[in-house]
Amino acid sequence: MERWEGDRIRARADGLAALLTDTVASGASVGFLAPLGHAEAVDWWRERAHAVASGGLAVWAALDATDRVTGTVGLDFPGRPNSRHRAELVKLMVHRSARGQGLGRRLLTTAERAAAADGRTLLHLDTETGSPAERLYRSAGWTVAGTIPGYAATPAGELRPTTLYYKRLDDGPGG
């Protein structure tokens, strides 16, 4: 897996969109309602390319042996001066055909290491309460910060609680 720049995201938007539509179709709550059209998913990824080009977002992608996008993870960097020590982990997605093989863990580890190398000392994320993703985050040492009821809709439109997690990447002050 490797970090993709904005031009590569634009060039591979079709494959990234296929991953996103598969993720939504499988019921994962990643911010979209089903059915998510391919064109809408392509447009969303092209917008992410602009955020990557401006430095506000970093994206890593994994490919299978056939060069198909099978997973992504992102780090969203806040632009405020008092926030430069942290980042939000966003859109950790693994294609249904690649699940259960450790790809989610590798993507998560890649993002954590990159954040630490960039001087980030704190990561945070949110995920649907009770989702399979929670097992991954807990087993990787993430800490539950709390749960918000009715926070986001599933792809089917059902409001579900969201659990907030954080992970310290250092043992310094502020924790």
Side-chain angles (χ1 to χ4, degrees):
M1 96 195 47
E2 58 189 45
R3 186 170 173 169
W4 284 12
E5 297 303 323
D7 57 346
R8 186 139 186 225
I9 291 171
R10 278 188 290 281
R12 299 294 301 258
D14 193 59
L16 290 162
L19 171 64
L20 179 57
T21 57
D22 176 77
T23 302
V24 172
S26 71
S29 180
V30 291
F32 297 90
L33 298 176
L36 175 62
H38 188 77
E40 181 183 352
V42 166
D43 289 344
W44 184 84
W45 274 109
R46 287 187 177 142
E47 290 172 10
R48 302 293 73 73
H50 294 294
V52 168
S54 71
L57 178 68
V59 173
W60 290 264
L63 304 173
D64 68 10
T66 67
D67 203 40
R68 180 178 60 126
V69 178
T70 54
T72 63
V73 66
L75 288 174
D76 189 7
F77 303 113
R80 295 170 304 281
N82 72 339
S83 306
R84 294 194 178 124
H85 65 288
R86 62 181 159 91
E88 181 179 6
L89 188 98
V90 295
K91 301 298 185 266
L92 174 56
M93 298 184 280
V94 175
H95 194 278
R96 282 182 277 193
S97 67
R99 291 182 188 160
Q101 301 169 32
L103 179 56
R105 169 87 53 189
R106 290 192 305 275
L107 287 162
L108 181 60
T109 300
T110 296
E112 290 174 355
R113 288 180 179 162
D118 190 48
R120 308 295 165 151
T121 58
L122 179 68
L123 294 177
H124 64 97
L125 63 85
D126 67 84
T127 192
E128 181 182 343
T129 304
S131 71
E134 281 200 289
R135 285 189 302 277
L136 171 63
Y137 300 132
R138 288 178 189 213
S139 70
W142 287 70
T143 302
V144 172
T147 301
I148 303 171
Y151 183 79
T154 66
E158 175 190 357
L159 289 180
R160 297 276 299 135
T162 291
T163 302
L164 307 175
Y165 285 86
Y166 70 92
K167 186 171 188 178
R168 299 236 3 144
L169 301 178
D170 73 346
D171 292 322

